[in-house]
Amino acid sequence: MKFLKPFFKSSAFYLFLTILLWQWAFSLELYSDFFFPSPAQVVAFFWENCIKGSALWQAMDISLKRLLTGYFISLAIGIPLGMLCHKSNFLKLTLRKLALSFQTLPSICWVPITLLWFGQNNTAIIFVVCMGSVWGLIIGTENSIQRIPNIYLKAAYTMGARRLTLLRTIVFPAAFPSLITSLKQCWAFAWRSLLSAEIYISTIDGIGLGQLLHYGREMQAMDQVISIILVLIAIGLFIERFVFLPIEHSITKRWGEGSF
Amino acid sequence: MDAVEKTRIVVENVSKFFTSNLGRVQALKEVSFCAEEGEFVAILGPSGCGKSTLLNMIAGLETHDQGIIDVSVENVNQPERHRMMMFQESALFPWYNVIQNVMYGLRFKKGLKRADYTDVALYYLSLVSLKKYAYSRIYQLSGGMKQRVALARALAPNPQILLMDEPFSALDAVTCEQLYKDVQRIWRSQHKTILLVTHNIREAVVLAQKIIVLSPHPGRVIREIKVDLPYPRNLHDTAVSDLTYQITAILNQKSL
């Protein structure tokens, strides 16, 4: 049994234990199965919608497209505006203050506005994703440029760097470690906003994960609800592990420990 | 490599004012001195005498309110490639490795091919005995090594003037001593005009041919001292100690 030892120390083992515990709790039959489904029911749901059918894949596709569209619009707007906020005193007094106020607003509050403006469609959801994530990014970008040690700029300036070269070779790389924290936060806000919007808004042009989750409740299909939640967690972990963690690792490798 | 032209730094009756919450404060009062081509000049003074401000103005990073600052034929208004600066902290860019840092200033030099950047950078790295660290990351270097890379970076574009803003003040005594030797060697072999700002009297005596002593509030020149000791100088030479003692006495007398 020695070869099993690494398994007992891995998180896979604890996941297995959790599923076992879940099955045991289900077998006590305290609640009916549409309140509290068994692991087997959840597996069956995945079988039906992922392998036999493709409803889950389609929903994932739609949701991720909305998320990425919204996120990249936020980046395209938020980063330049954040940089301009740093440069211009006027924008610091106006746009930055506006961003600070809107940042405090929970993104779900944009839903009534977006429904009236755009109707029940993709655009409405992407709008909520942007509104939920762009304001924090403006503030974050401004802060990360603010925090660049002046000595880097002075050194580059005395060597002859100006304008675009200064921006490309000094400002961006120097701000990058703290900017990546803002990008991560922006992603988290975008993700949360997407789900709020999808649960709230029934769209005619495509059903996303949030909508599937919501319909699961309406149809009292708890296996569907739990399955979608598991998918959402998996997507969150995947992005963290395969997008942000490698970027952070590469920064640590270049800058040394404690560079965030 | 460059066309030879006389590089003379002339500072004449330069004054500088700051506006603080105490009102208008004079940082520098009618400071005058000059540095000939190839000369090693130290600007010595206690903190608050405006010596770094003076250096920044010569570097073109700050403007002066009165007087003339003249470097060769052109007026100082913008930093130019023929004068490079070294700072108190290393100011190396951590997103680049060692050799990329040394190469940084080369891109602004006209007439230098991209293909030659590596060779030039390696030459200056070997001058500061750090060739084998060319591909290390900045955080892997010690404080002394960082300042040597900073020195190589400042030298790489082959400037005529090197401006040093207390580059040794954050280093330990042993590292300093080694660097004093390196700087003397490099200055003599590379024929640079060096302007060193420092509060360390012994450091000024070991390195400079001429010491401009400033006194604070407002910063003004109280003495100009020629140091006629032969190079290479050592921190522990008796002549160095004697002169250090004399200058200490001058500064103490002034601060009373």
Side-chain angles (χ1 to χ4, degrees):
Chain A
M1 295 301 264
K2 213 172 173 183
F3 67 97
L4 278 176
K5 216 174 165 187
F7 175 69
F8 288 127
K9 284 183 179 169
S10 68
S11 21
F13 170 65
Y14 292 100
L15 183 66
F16 178 70
L17 218 62
T18 310
I19 295 171
L20 226 61
L21 212 66
W22 175 10
Q23 179 61 40
W24 172 76
F26 176 77
S27 66
L28 294 178
E29 290 183 14
L30 293 171
Y31 305 101
S32 79
D33 65 352
F34 59 76
F35 275 131
F36 190 75
S38 72
Q41 279 172 279
V42 171
V43 171
F45 179 84
F46 277 116
W47 178 262
E48 282 295 318
N49 295 287
C50 270
I51 295 163
K52 263 176 77 182
S54 60
L56 211 50
W57 293 116
Q58 279 165 17
M60 228 155 97
D61 181 50
I62 286 166
S63 284
L64 288 179
K65 268 182 193 147
R66 287 167 177 165
L67 178 64
L68 288 174
T69 312
Y71 184 63
F72 283 109
I73 292 174
S74 276
L75 296 195
I77 296 172
I79 293 177
L81 283 186
M83 288 169 62
L84 286 176
C85 270
H86 176 74
K87 269 274 162 221
S88 141
N89 245 337
F90 171 72
L91 287 180
K92 213 171 269 180
L93 292 170
T94 52
L95 181 66
R96 193 169 180 279
K97 288 275 185 288
L98 188 77
L100 274 171
S101 342
F102 278 149
Q103 196 202 4
T104 62
L105 192 70
S107 49
I108 190 117
C109 302
W110 292 100
V111 167
I113 296 176
T114 197
L115 275 174
L116 283 175
W117 281 358
F118 303 107
Q120 291 171 280
N121 53 31
N122 253 331
T123 318
I125 290 183
I126 292 167
F127 179 76
V128 176
V129 172
C130 288
M131 286 299 128
S133 60
V134 77
W135 306 110
L137 186 62
I138 293 176
I139 310 274
T141 306
E142 204 259 337
N143 281 345
S144 59
I145 293 176
Q146 182 93 42
R147 282 218 298 267
I148 298 174
N150 201 21
I151 191 119
Y152 294 152
L153 300 168
K154 262 168 85 173
Y157 195 75
T158 54
M159 283 191 275
R162 299 286 182 281
R163 294 165 183 281
L164 272 178
T165 317
L166 199 65
L167 204 65
R168 187 173 55 82
T169 60
I170 306 294
V171 176
F172 265 124
F176 193 63
S178 70
L179 190 63
I180 199 73
T181 312
S182 297
L183 294 183
K184 221 171 123 171
Q185 190 201 32
C186 179
W187 174 263
F189 277 132
W191 181 229
R192 281 156 180 71
S193 307
L194 172 80
L195 266 299
S196 311
E198 282 192 343
I199 288 175
Y200 209 96
I201 305 172
S202 304
T203 44
I204 36 176
D205 46 2
I207 291 172
L209 289 169
Q211 278 118 6
L212 272 191
L213 187 65
H214 183 65
Y215 300 152
R217 182 197 68 84
E218 288 193 330
M219 297 181 297
Q220 305 203 357
M222 202 49 133
D223 53 345
Q224 180 170 336
V225 171
I226 302 253
S227 303
I228 304 290
I229 286 176
L230 290 178
V231 170
L232 296 178
I233 291 172
I235 293 173
L237 288 176
F238 182 87
I239 298 292
E240 171 66 31
R241 174 69 186 77
F242 292 101
V243 178
F244 290 110
L245 203 66
I247 298 177
E248 286 171 349
H249 273 324
S250 82
I251 293 173
T252 312
K253 228 171 102 186
R254 283 159 168 261
W255 292 57
E257 289 300 332
S259 26
F260 291 99
Chain B
M1 278 191 238
D2 289 69
V4 184
E5 47 173 296
K6 276 269 177 235
T7 313
R8 200 161 176 259
I9 304 172
V10 180
V11 174
E12 223 176 271
N13 285 321
V14 165
S15 295
K16 171 81 178 171
F17 299 91
F18 285 118
T19 314
S20 73
N21 48 2
L22 298 168
R24 200 157 184 254
V25 179
Q26 186 160 26
L28 288 168
K29 191 183 174 188
E30 289 152 21
V31 173
S32 299
F33 71 91
C34 69
E36 302 298 332
E37 177 167 324
E39 200 175 18
F40 200 137
V41 177
I43 300 167
L44 176 71
S47 48
C49 72
K51 55 191 188 299
S52 288
T53 307
L54 185 58
L55 200 70
N56 280 340
M57 292 187 313
I58 295 167
L61 288 167
E62 285 182 52
T63 54
H64 53 287
D65 296 321
Q66 284 163 19
I68 299 163
I69 297 178
D70 195 46
V71 180
S72 300
V73 279
E74 47 118 39
N75 237 319
V76 183
N77 41 27
Q78 277 215 320
E80 288 297 334
R81 264 73 79 200
H82 66 118
R83 43 181 197 277
M84 286 288 155
M85 194 155 173
M86 259 183 91
F87 300 89
Q88 199 164 352
E89 315 141 61
S90 75
L92 296 175
F93 307 136
W95 52 94
Y96 292 137
N97 64 18
V98 169
I99 193 165
Q100 285 169 327
N101 266 281
V102 178
M103 287 193 295
Y104 188 84
L106 299 179
R107 75 186 76 202
F108 308 110
K109 218 174 141 57
K110 287 184 186 79
L112 189 66
K113 284 196 276 313
R114 247 194 127 79
D116 299 330
Y117 288 5
T118 315
D119 289 339
V120 174
L122 283 175
Y123 168 74
Y124 285 99
L125 275 174
S126 62
L127 204 62
V128 296
S129 333
L130 285 176
K131 201 173 175 180
K132 66 172 176 175
Y133 293 95
Y135 296 95
S136 299
R137 306 299 320 182
I138 301 306
Y139 73 94
Q140 295 169 316
L141 307 179
S142 68
M145 286 155 90
K146 280 182 190 160
Q147 281 305 42
R148 272 147 75 176
V149 175
L151 179 60
R153 182 173 75 174
L155 290 171
N158 198 22
Q160 286 130 346
I161 300 168
L162 197 57
L163 305 171
M164 300 175 136
D165 189 4
E166 306 199 38
F168 314 110
S169 61
L171 305 176
D172 63 87
V174 181
T175 310
C176 272
E177 216 175 316
Q178 183 56 49
L179 268 162
Y180 294 158
K181 284 180 197 157
D182 290 342
V183 168
Q184 288 183 59
R185 172 174 54 82
I186 290 165
W187 166 64
R188 294 202 299 160
S189 67
Q190 303 284 315
H191 311 290
K192 304 291 179 198
T193 309
I194 299 185
L195 214 54
L196 168 78
V197 157
T198 182
H199 59 252
N200 185 331
I201 301 166
R202 199 178 269 261
E203 178 176 300
V205 174
V206 166
L207 295 175
Q209 293 172 302
K210 187 161 81 188
I211 301 174
I212 316 290
V213 186
L214 295 189
S215 103
H217 314 298
R220 61 200 183 278
V221 179
I222 52 169
R223 196 70 70 91
E224 202 177 299
I225 299 162
K226 281 246 179 258
V227 186
D228 282 323
L229 303 172
Y231 289 94
R233 295 177 192 160
N234 190 300
L235 211 49
H236 309 291
D237 292 343
T238 38
V240 169
S241 299
D242 287 348
L243 194 53
T244 305
Y245 180 76
Q246 286 170 32
I247 298 174
T248 313
I250 293 170
L251 278 167
N252 282 338
Q253 197 188 346
K254 278 290 166 185
S255 60
L256 281 176

